[in-house]
Amino acid sequence: MRYVKLHNDRLQAPLTEDLKVCLVLGAKLRPDNSLSPILQLRVRLVSILAKAYPDWIFYISGCRSDTTVIYRTLVEEYHIPEERFVIDFCGYNTFRSIWDMDLFFKQTRFYILTSSFHIARSLRIARWLGYDVWGIDISDYEKVKTNPYFWREQLAALRSLWLVFCIRTPLGRISTYFFHNRLLRRLRRNEKQFDVQNEQILQRAMSNVDESMPLTEYFFRQLMDGGICTEFTQPMEEEHLMVSLSQVDCTTVIEDVLALALCYRDRHTTLADLKDYYRRMHYQDGVISFATRNHYFTWIMQSAIKEGFMERISPDEPVFPFTGVMDLQPSYMTRNKYLFRPQMDDENNYKAIALRQQQGVHFTYIPRELLDMPQDSELGVIHDGDILAVACDQHTWARGVEIKHLLIAKWIDDKLHFYHASGSGLGLSNMDAYTYMKDKFTMIGVAVYRFKYVDAA
């Protein structure tokens, strides 16, 4: 295995002069979503290398949470230009992070920056995949010199060898095919289990509805009181609407809340009714297919407004406090095509989504600096239970995304608070909206949507 030692903030010989790409492997964050000591060291070393080698490009790989925090720290605290980073959100493990370098980014020659206990396995995987890779020896910068994860690394290497076998050999691809079909069958069995859970949650939520609070707040609290944990929607090979009130993220929980509120509003309280409302929001004109799915939140709201479920409080043109304007063509789907495979490999799906993106989105929003105003000010245009769509600044990793996060408004002690789905679950935030957003550089303000209590039809 080949190593280059990092000493006195420079790489020692032998150094490949034409190699200017470095893969930075992520790791778990602390429970409060801050950098762990391992990640703090890697971030500091990236800043050292970025300063010493100004023509290098750094690929940050991991899941969405750790890559975002690493990127944000390097841009905001170390002042490294964002153009020098490429983000890989699909690097869920070491094997996938290294394989993605060729699969998505067409890079087979690069350095790997990770911890000393981890570098040997990383280089071994790269060698098995046939890549020309050099490891960066950072032992001079580490306090712990022993390997506390020796057996973990050996077992993980065996697993990675099996993954290489699966993608490199016909027999392995056949076994992967059968495993994938087994996964799909399991997901469909899970749908029956989800429906049983959905029926229980639906009936509990519809009994003794507290009309003294907004319906959106009430049904969010019903989901929250059920001990629901956050989880991203499970992918399926073919498009199939699978509703689970017990497995949500920040977007699907809003759709769940709105579907429950619509069931109560219209007195249609069966599970079939719930799924029907969900379908009409989740898909353009209610047609279930990957091409017609509303992949952006503004698309979901366009369908909901068209169906008479919601109204947008944010005006079309800037009026105080809606002084911010978002006017762009969403491009995250086509810009990051590799994140949505195999569906985006279908030319018809790609063209249909690209065409919808070209239509663009336009809305005004309240800048985050104004969210510190009291309820009796112009900020009082926001009511309890309103949906707050957090507008997203167009930095590298988020370019092409219009909405960063979703909140349900709640005024407490003259301060705008909110309910939301976060990494720690569903609940009422322990801080107000201004404090929550003021140091998050991608969150620039909120657009406001309101549930319609009277069916327009």
Side-chain angles (χ1 to χ4, degrees), residues 148-206:
Y149 304 103
F150 176 80
W151 289 111
R152 168 186 175 272
E153 290 296 303
Q154 305 310 309
L155 294 174
L158 291 176
R159 178 177 180 273
S160 298
L161 181 60
W162 165 250
L163 293 173
V164 173
F165 169 76
C166 287
I167 68 170
R168 290 297 189 192
T169 66
L171 179 60
R173 287 192 289 271
I174 291 173
S175 65
T176 303
Y177 170 79
F178 282 108
F179 173 79
H180 183 68
N181 282 343
R182 180 183 176 186
L183 175 63
L184 293 181
R185 289 195 299 270
R186 190 183 73 183
L187 288 175
R188 291 196 180 278
R189 287 198 303 270
N190 285 350
E191 183 176 14
K192 296 180 180 179
Q193 179 182 350
F194 290 156
D195 283 348
V196 173
Q197 296 172 347
N198 291 340
E199 185 68 41
Q200 294 172 349
I201 296 172
L202 177 63
Q203 297 308 317
R204 187 193 73 228
M206 290 298 161

Side-chain angles (χ1 to χ4, degrees), residues 164-421:
V164 173
F165 169 76
C166 287
I167 68 170
R168 290 297 189 192
T169 66
L171 179 60
R173 287 192 289 271
I174 291 173
S175 65
T176 303
Y177 170 79
F178 282 108
F179 173 79
H180 183 68
N181 282 343
R182 180 183 176 186
L183 175 63
L184 293 181
R185 289 195 299 270
R186 190 183 73 183
L187 288 175
R188 291 196 180 278
R189 287 198 303 270
N190 285 350
E191 183 176 14
K192 296 180 180 179
Q193 179 182 350
F194 290 156
D195 283 348
V196 173
Q197 296 172 347
N198 291 340
E199 185 68 41
Q200 294 172 349
I201 296 172
L202 177 63
Q203 297 308 317
R204 187 193 73 228
M206 290 298 161
S207 62
N208 301 319
V209 174
D210 185 358
E211 294 187 347
S212 65
M213 65 177 68
L215 291 179
T216 49
E217 179 183 357
Y218 170 79
F219 286 114
F220 189 97
R221 290 170 66 98
Q222 287 294 304
L223 296 180
M224 182 177 68
D225 292 342
I228 310 302
C229 62
T230 60
E231 182 175 316
F232 287 108
T233 305
Q234 299 184 67
M236 298 192 72
E237 183 76 19
E238 60 185 72
E239 191 69 19
H240 180 79
L241 177 60
M242 183 183 293
V243 178
S244 173
L245 299 177
S246 59
Q247 298 189 14
V248 298
D249 57 23
C250 71
T251 301
T252 56
V253 70
I254 298 298
E255 292 180 284
D256 293 343
V257 166
L258 294 178
L260 288 167
L262 288 164
C263 285
Y264 181 78
R265 185 195 74 176
D266 299 338
R267 299 301 188 264
H268 298 157
T269 57
T270 68
L271 184 58
D273 294 325
L274 178 80
K275 290 185 176 182
D276 183 63
Y277 287 127
Y278 205 104
R279 173 184 58 82
R280 291 158 67 183
M281 286 186 290
H282 204 66
Y283 294 93
Q284 187 180 32
D285 298 324
V287 179
I288 297 179
S289 72
F290 183 82
T292 57
R293 190 200 305 174
N294 292 322
H295 296 279
Y296 299 95
F297 180 75
T298 47
W299 291 4
I300 295 174
M301 288 296 98
Q302 287 171 4
S303 291
I305 292 171
K306 181 180 178 180
E307 294 283 351
F309 303 159
M310 301 288 292
E311 59 181 330
R312 180 161 59 87
I313 304 304
S314 310
D316 291 333
E317 300 302 326
V319 176
F320 191 83
F322 297 93
T323 56
V325 179
M326 178 67 71
D327 193 356
L328 64 93
Q329 292 181 344
S331 58
Y332 190 81
M333 292 283 294
T334 50
R335 184 188 297 270
N336 299 283
K337 176 182 175 181
Y338 68 91
L339 293 175
F340 306 96
R341 300 178 71 180
Q343 291 91 340
M344 284 294 279
D345 290 336
D346 185 297
E347 186 177 357
N348 292 329
N349 285 341
Y350 184 88
K351 288 182 178 180
I353 292 173
L355 181 62
R356 287 191 71 186
Q357 288 181 162
Q358 291 174 8
Q359 298 172 3
V361 296
H362 173 86
F363 59 87
T364 57
Y365 62 88
I366 303 175
R368 64 184 176 190
E369 293 78 12
L370 301 180
L371 297 179
D372 201 27
M373 295 192 299
Q375 187 174 6
D376 60 0
S377 67
E378 289 85 349
L379 194 62
V381 69
I382 298 176
H383 297 173
D384 284 352
D386 283 352
I387 307 300
L388 306 182
V390 180
C392 185
D393 194 10
Q394 297 300 296
H395 281 258
T396 296
W397 74 266
R399 191 159 292 149
V401 177
E402 83 289 26
I403 299 301
K404 167 70 174 175
H405 195 36
L406 294 169
L407 320 170
I408 295 180
K410 176 66 175 178
W411 286 98
I412 300 177
D413 297 332
D414 216 27
K415 286 282 190 178
L416 180 62
H417 288 69
F418 56 91
Y419 297 93
H420 71 147

Side-chain angles (χ1 to χ4, degrees), residues 28-82:
K28 287 186 178 181
L29 300 171
R30 286 172 168 167
D32 61 353
N33 286 332
S34 62
L35 293 174
S36 62
I38 288 176
L39 284 180
Q40 289 175 9
L41 176 60
R42 293 183 197 177
V43 166
R44 184 167 70 87
L45 295 177
V46 169
S47 68
I48 290 172
L49 292 171
K51 182 178 180 180
Y53 306 99
D55 53 349
W56 277 26
I57 299 294
F58 297 91
Y59 288 75
I60 302 175
S61 185
C63 62
R64 182 179 297 273
S65 56
D66 58 333
T67 53
T68 301
V69 176
I70 292 171
Y71 165 79
R72 174 185 172 185
T73 304
L74 289 167
V75 172
E76 287 195 327
E77 298 184 15
Y78 289 94
H79 308 292
I80 302 173
E82 58 175 309

Side-chain angles (χ1 to χ4, degrees), residues 18-35:
D18 63 333
L19 199 55
K20 301 178 181 180
V21 174
C22 181
L23 170 63
V24 182
L25 298 177
K28 287 186 178 181
L29 300 171
R30 286 172 168 167
D32 61 353
N33 286 332
S34 62
L35 293 174

